[in-house]
Structures are given as C-alpha cells and as structure tokens.
Amino acid sequence: MIQLVPRQNASNLWQIATPLLAVLATMIAGGLLFATMGHNPVAAIRTIFWDPLFGMASGYSRPQLLVKAAPLILIASGLAIGFRAGIWNIGAEGQYIMGAITGAAVALALYPLEAWWLFPAMVAAGLAGGWAWGMIPALLRNWFGASEILVSLMLVYVAQRIAAWMAFGPMRNPQGMGFPGSRNLQQYPSASNPELIAGTGAHWGVVAAAFAVLATWFLMSRHIRGFHIRAAGTAPRAARFAGVRPAVLVAFCLGLSGALAGAAGLFEVAGPAGQITDRIGVGYGFTAIIVAFLGRLHPVGILLAGLLLALTYIGGELAQLTMGLPAASVQVFQGMLLFFLLGFDLLTRYQIRRRITA
Amino acid sequence: MQRRTLLATASAMMMALAAPVLAQDEPLKVGFIYVGPVGDGGWTYQHDQGRLAIEAEFGDRVETTFIESVPEGADAERALTQLALAGNKLIFATSFGFMDPVINVAQRFPDVKFEHATGYKTAENVATYDARFYEGRAVIGTIAGHMTQSNKIGYIGSFPIPEVIQGINSSFIHARKVNPDVEMRIVWVYSWFDPAKEAEAANALLAEGVDVIMQHTDSTAPLAQAQAAGAIGFGQASDMAAFAPTPRVSSIIDDWSPYYIKRVQAMLDGTWESGSSWAGIGDGEVVIGEISDAVPENVKAEALALRDAIAAGEYHPFTGPLNKADGTVWLAEGETASDADLQSMNFYVEGITAQIPQ
Amino acid sequence: MMIDPLSVFLLLLGASTPILFAALGELVVERAGVLNLGVEGMMITGALAGFGAAYSTGNPFLGFLVAACAGAAISMLFAALTQVFLANQVASGLALTLFGLGLAAMLGKPFEGVRAPSMPAGPLRINWIVWLGLVMVPLVWWFLNRTRSGLILRAVGENHEAAHALGYNIRLTRLAAIAFGGAMAGVGGAFISIATVLQWTEGMTAGAGWIALAIVVFSNWTAPGVLAGAWLFGGVTVLQLRLQAAGVAVPVQLLSMAPYLATIIVLVAISARQKFSRRAGTGAPGSLGTNFHALR
C-alpha cells in the first residue's frame, strides 16, 4: 500500500519539477487527443507551445502574451494573499467588472475633457470600485459571519447584471447608432491606456502586474503583515494569540484583492477592451483563481502560471488558424493542462511512501 | 566557368520571369473571425457556410481559415492581427462587436482588406456589409398574419437594436395588412443565443394566447415549445428544417455566399473597393426557406408574390402611409423609408402597443 | 392587464427543472463538505450525452439515464483531483467547467442539426422529468435527515476531523456525494437538450450551472429551500418574460439582479442568527470547501 505523508515544507525540487511534469503529461495526452482527431500531434503541440514564442509571427504574439497575462497576474497576486490566510475571495470576476465600470464612469462623465490627471483618476476609481465590491463580503463576514466564498460569488452575478444595465442604459454611447455599449475609451486620448512602447504590448496594466508581483513578494516575505497572513493560514489559533486580529485581516485581504481586480478591469476597459459592454467580464477573475493555485500562491509562480495560461490561449488561436483545430479541442487541451497541474501539485505537498504493514 | 555563369544567369532570369506567375498561382488567403462556434446552428454557422461556398466556387485559387468563438474586445483585435500576419489578404469579421477592433487592425495593415458585418464604420480598406432581413420579415409576417387564429403574434427579440426593431416593424406591418385584427406581443431575452431562456420566452408568449411565434434569436427552442403547444413558428438564420413541416412553416435564412463570392472575385480581379453593402432578397442574401404544406396554397402564393416583388425592387416593405407608435407621421403616402432612417430605427410603428426598453 | 397565476406557475415548473436538479445534486455535495464549482461543466456533459442517447435510441427516458451516468462519470475527474490528489476544490471545479464545456463541444459535432424525439407528456400534461424533480425534493430531504447514511454524510460535511475520528470513511462518502451531484446535474442539463430545445448546440446550458450554485446558498442547505430557490430564480425570469409578453415594460437587468441580492440577504440573515443567538441551525456546512487528509 502507499501512503501520503505531508511535507513539513513544500519540496523545492518538486516545486519546479511538478509543473514541468504536468506540462509534459498534457503534451502527451493532448497529442493523443489531437492524433485521434486526425491532426499531427507534434505539429499541434509545437503550434501551441512553441510558435507563439519563437514561430513566424512571434514578434507580434510575444508581446500579446503580456497583454493576455497581465490581468491574470494582477488579479491572482491579490487573490493568493487571501488564499494564504484562508480567506477565499472567489468573486474577483465581479470586482474586475466593478472596477471597469467605476473607472470608465469617471472618463465617460468627464468626456470630452482632456487632462493629464484623468487617467490617474480613473485608475483610482477602478481601484476604489474593486475595493468596495471586495469589502462587501469582508464586512458581511466580519459583522454577521457570512461566508465570503459565497457572498463574493453571488456578487459576481450582480456585477454582471450591473454591467449589462450600464451597457444598455446609463453608459450607452449616444453616438452608437442605438447599439449597446459605451464610448470606446481607446478613442479618448486622456482616458486611454495605450501601448507604452510600440511593439511591446506593454500598457499600464502590464506595468501594474509587474509591480504587483514585486509588492506581494515583498509583503509576504519581508513585511510583518505577510507574516500574520501566513500565520493565520497555517495556524489560526496561534495567530490570534500572536495578536493577529482576524477581522482586520479579512478586510485587508478582500479589500486588497478586490482593488487589484478592479484595477485589472480598469486597465482592460481603458486599453485592450476599449468599452463597457454587457460582456466586459470575460472570465479573467475566475481564471485568475486557477492561476493563483497553479502558481502555488507564490508571486513568482503566479507570474509563470499567468504566462503559461496566456501561452495556451494564444497558441490555441494559432492552432485554430494554421491547423484548423476546432476551438473546443483547444479548450479541452487547456482543461487537461489544469487537471494535470492541479493533480501533480500533490507531489509538492506530500511525500508518497510505501505503507509499512505489520 | 562561363557556362556555369550563363546557366546561373539563365536560371535567375527564369526565376524572375516565373515570379509573377508564381504569385498569381499562389492562392488568395481569406480569413474569418466568428463570434460563436461554427456549430451554433444559426448566425455563425451561416457565415461558415458562406466560407465553404467560397472554397467551392474558387477551389485552389483561395485558401480560407477561420478562428471561432472569439470574444468581442481585446481578443478580437489579437485574432484579427494573427489572421493578417498569417498572410490573409481579405478578412471577414462577422459580428457587430468586432467593429472597433477591425478599424484598429486595418490601420496597421493597409494592404489587407477587411469586411465587417453589421457595423457602420468604414475606412479605405474596411468595407461593411449587412443583409436587409426586414425584407424577409415582410414575407413571413404576411404568412403569420394569415395563419394566426387568435390574432396574436409573438415576437422573441434579442436586443433592442435597430436591426431587430426593423424586423418587428416589418413583420407587424405586413401581418396587419392581411389581417387588421392582428396584435403583436414582444419579449426581449437580451441574448442572441440562450436556448433555455428562449424556450421560456416562447412559453410566456404562448400563455398570452399567441399561436404564431417569430424569433430573432438563434436557437430552435421556441420551435420546440411552439410544437408542444400546437402553435407555429419560423426558422431563423438557418432553415431549421428538422422542425418542418410544422411547427416550422417557413424560415428566413441568412445566405452570405453571394456577397462573399462577389468580394473574393473582386480581390482576385484587383477591383476591391471599400463601401457599405446592404443587400436583401433580390441579391439572394436573404432567402425565404421552403414554405411547408401546413400553409394554405393561396397564402403561399401571396407570400411568394410579395417576395418576388421585393426582389424585383417593385415594392419596399416600408412604404407610406406609416405612422410611428406615438401617432406622429413617419412616411407619407407612397414615400419609402431611407436607409439612414432604417439604420437608426428606434421606434415601433403605429399599432404596436409595447414600449421599446430604454 | 391580469396575468393568470396558474399559467405562470406552469411555466415556472418547466423553467425551474434544470436548475432544480442541478441544485439538489450540489446540495448533497455541499452537505458532504465539498464545494464543486463544476456544475456547468457537468450539466453540459449531461445535455450532450443525454441528447446523443435519446437521438440514437429514439427513447428520451434512456437519454436521461445516460445523462445521469455521464454527469457522474465526469464528476469523477473532480473527485479524483480533490479527494485523491487533494487539489483545491475551487480551482478544480472551475477547471471541470472549462473542460466539460470544451469536451461536450468537441464530441457534440456529429449531433448538430438533428432533432431529439418528442417526449410523451406525463400526468396533468406536465413532463415526467418535471415530476421526477419534484419527487426528488422530499427524497433528498428524507435521505439527509432521516437516514443513517444521510447523517454520516452531514457529519462528514460538518466536521470531517470528528467524523474521521468516529471511523467514517470521509473519502468514500464524498466520492458518492460528488457522483450523485454529477448525475443530478447531468439530468438537469439533459432536460434542456431533450425536453426544452430538442437539439444539441454548443454552450446550450448558458450559465444554468452557476444559477444552481446560487440556489444552494439561498436554500440554506435544505432540500425544501432548494425548491423555493429554484422557483424564485426560475420565477423571476418567467415573470419578467410573462410581463413583457403582456405588454408591461419591465426593467429586465435590475429585476434579474433581485434573486442574487435576495440570496445574499438570506445568507447574511442566517449567518447572523447563528452568530448572535448561537443556535445550531443548518447554515453552511462547517467543512465546506476544505480538503481532508487523514494522518493515520
């Protein structure tokens, strides 16, 4: 018989080895999948994992990796802090939407004013919108003991409907020929979040994501609050004796992750997405949860996991384009990758031993 | 030595001579981005049929690729760029929400021609195209007016945008023309495709006493519900022949192939020009599906005569005298609606008692 | 303009059936202490498998049976990840949804454009599966509250350490609960493809699985509560469509927000009651969403 024994500290070797093993396993399973569909498995895997980085049009797709990964990394960085403390914000999608709405609202209200402070004001509004939406489950948990998992999830649905209402009602573009959707912020210079250096794809959201990775790393490994968070996650009782106030921690974690998700929404709506529509939430908030776990809740891991997921998105598009793989098979492939990554994670946290039977 | 040089020169000359021929032999690459999956059985499916028609028409002279299920916004811009980078010289973007991404990408690829469905922004290398669905609605509205026993026709709308409102008005005008007692009940589901909700909408209409259902949403759910209640309906976007002869008594089919073939031909001839195409029954873009035997012979003949009159340009479905729902005059006797009026239509015609949601 | 309440109720019965099945299944899963966010993925799997079987055999009831099996089968992926590999439940559930939607879309290609056989109407001209859903409510209630297995399941969900100490098999209990949840979600999804639409199309469950998750919260983790929740969520949609059909202008977006806000209010009220009166009520299961690993 085999037995699982928890490791005292997550194994460093396995930390690095398991993601590689999982990707390898996905390549094999995915290759089999593509082969049964009559496609060349080697070519398909190369198209998904290699071509976006080093293929013919990689000059374009490499920067796009950053664009696609930035919101995931930004949101996941915030979420991971809460997850470490055992505070489960699964409503980042809603906070993302609300950040996009509040941020865009500032620009739409002041249109067509051109001023240098407009974009910073939008960022502030986006942060505030996401923060406020994240604080609702925090306060409800602190005051009434309501589960933040469930409240934050319910608030996603509410936010989605607010977005639809905004797109059809208050924020509808008056020059939009009767179609739903707000003005396009890309065409409003002071409010837009453009590419900062041509050809790099990097907009302010990418900068913010990089900053978030550094800041959360600093917070978790160098700051007393990071210590409190880790203590609360691993030994809640002991943490309380050490002077950690749970209510403060709940408010801090949900507020911070909400604010970061809100900022991600703002950067997206002012940049790549351009406008508030009823479909402004494209699932970054949910995907970011997966990214946080794939990244082992560690800032560097999250950075890599976000880039890996972005790679499969862009590679998947390329595979559709060049090989005619249906979008659905790419989705299945991504699902496999997640399953393998989540499953193999066991090896970092547990040792497998042969059970000694008497 | 000399001989070799000569040979080399000759082959170089041969190459030079062959080059233009080769270029001509190289197939024209045509790309498509779809908002839904090819398997949606409606909107996207019909566009893909158009793509296949191009392949059938031009054979080796063209090479087509598509990317399906592309969310509107940032992802669309990337997918379009990927298509352009992959060497596609003509790119069809088949959803309204791709409008701003198309304009953005077109600016970066002046040599690539773009075709955007249902939008209103054009450029040097961006043309728009749409179909006059309201012409088809006039025909099936006529059938509906004859077929209803309860004098109540139900209409399932997707979004309150001009295209859908044109369809409602056109259906109503022609139903009432043949049956002055007809009333129209309208339900908005705020989705192009949500089978469960469309079924509920159909049931809500049936409970209101409606016995003919028209729909501007893509699933077959309303037909399935109509059948259970003994009512009739019409295929939408595709023929939905699986539900013939009843409840599906006819259908209004989007057929994009004539336009697609025309535009590809123009590319091959080097005569492509930007513009805005809005073709209808006459050009074969809106097709009335087979009228089933459930429809009496005289009604069928009347409907077909109307179809032919519209196709020949002898009759415009919006011909005065027509008043708006608020009683003000819209079109005087004999006056026909201008395209500009239709494209921004945001009112019901006189006789429809409902309000357009704002 | 008057609207006949009975007609609204009849509409409601059909409209709430898919979410009722899925939510009842998820209720049992959550009472066992597992949060499976993959309901949407299991529903779409059931929708496809059920449609495929109904179409191939011409028997819609066989379709529902196959849908239940398919839903249970795909739920085992989630079960393996969370119960064997001890992966995080939230992430695994989300991955299951993604995987299920993709798999169904891929395998569903041969079934596009064809039509399922019509279902014979059940008693009172109401679909048999609607009846089945209504019967499942007391059955699930009875199982959870009046059987020994139900007691064990609740114990496992409430406090898995204690249940383990008492000698109950946590993993097996949870596997069974997850499989039941998958089967119920499968039937709910199949109701959409076999009974409502009669065709297969990609993404046809259109978010019903997510609504089911909200209903379980609204229900305060009780079976009668799930029925009430399914009727509330289904009812708001039916009512707004019915009002529109009657020519009444309704603020659709704001109205559709209402059941979610109601769910939050219910959740807060119940949590507050538990917190301030220290009364042992039902409420969220104590071990919800956390994995269990026995050290011995």
Side-chain angles (χ1 to χ4, degrees), chain B residues 132-139 279-288 306-308 310-312:
Chain B
R132 294 179 190 268
F133 300 114
Y134 67 86
E135 294 187 352
R137 302 271 168 204
V139 179
I281 293 181
D283 305 273
E285 231 172 75
V286 178
V287 175
I288 301 300
L306 180 66
R307 180 194 69 181
D308 295 341
I310 294 173

Side-chain angles (χ1 to χ4, degrees), chain A residues 56-57 60-61 64 67-68 168-169 172-173 175-180 184 186-187 268 272-273 275 277-279 282 284 313-314 317-318 320-322 324-328, chain B residues 35 65-75 77-79 81-83 85-86 88 96-97 100-101 104 108 118 120-121 159-163 190 192 343-344 357-358:
Chain A
M56 280 217 308
Y60 173 74
S61 53
Q64 286 299 309
V67 175
K68 193 80 190 166
F168 285 98
R172 187 197 284 229
N173 182 358
Q175 281 139 27
M177 308 282 278
F179 284 91
N184 195 322
Q186 290 167 346
Q187 293 147 14
E268 200 67 11
Q275 55 179 165
T277 66
D278 56 329
R279 274 171 280 183
V282 287
Y284 280 128
Y313 278 117
I314 291 173
E317 268 170 21
L318 272 180
Q320 281 194 58
L321 183 69
T322 55
L325 283 176
Chain B
V35 71
T65 42
F66 66 88
I67 307 183
E68 61 182 334
S69 302
V70 178
E72 293 167 354
D75 295 299
E77 191 158 333
R78 188 179 60 247
T81 310
Q82 299 273 33
L83 280 169
L85 287 171
N88 290 286
F96 172 78
D100 288 333
N104 289 346
R108 274 181 277 138
T118 72
Y120 54 83
K121 289 185 183 171
F159 294 100
I161 58 173
E163 177 191 322
Y190 290 91
W192 290 107
Q343 276 159 343
S344 60
Q358 289 306 322

Side-chain angles (χ1 to χ4, degrees), chain C residues 237-256:
Chain C
T237 313
V238 164
L239 189 69
Q240 64 98 346
L241 292 171
R242 189 69 188 78
L243 285 169
Q244 281 197 52
V248 182
V250 279
V252 175
Q253 321 293 351
L254 295 180
L255 203 60
S256 64

Side-chain angles (χ1 to χ4, degrees), chain B residues 290-301:
Chain B
E290 197 219 343
I291 300 174
S292 81
D293 294 339
V295 178
E297 209 50 49
N298 60 329
V299 175
K300 187 172 171 178

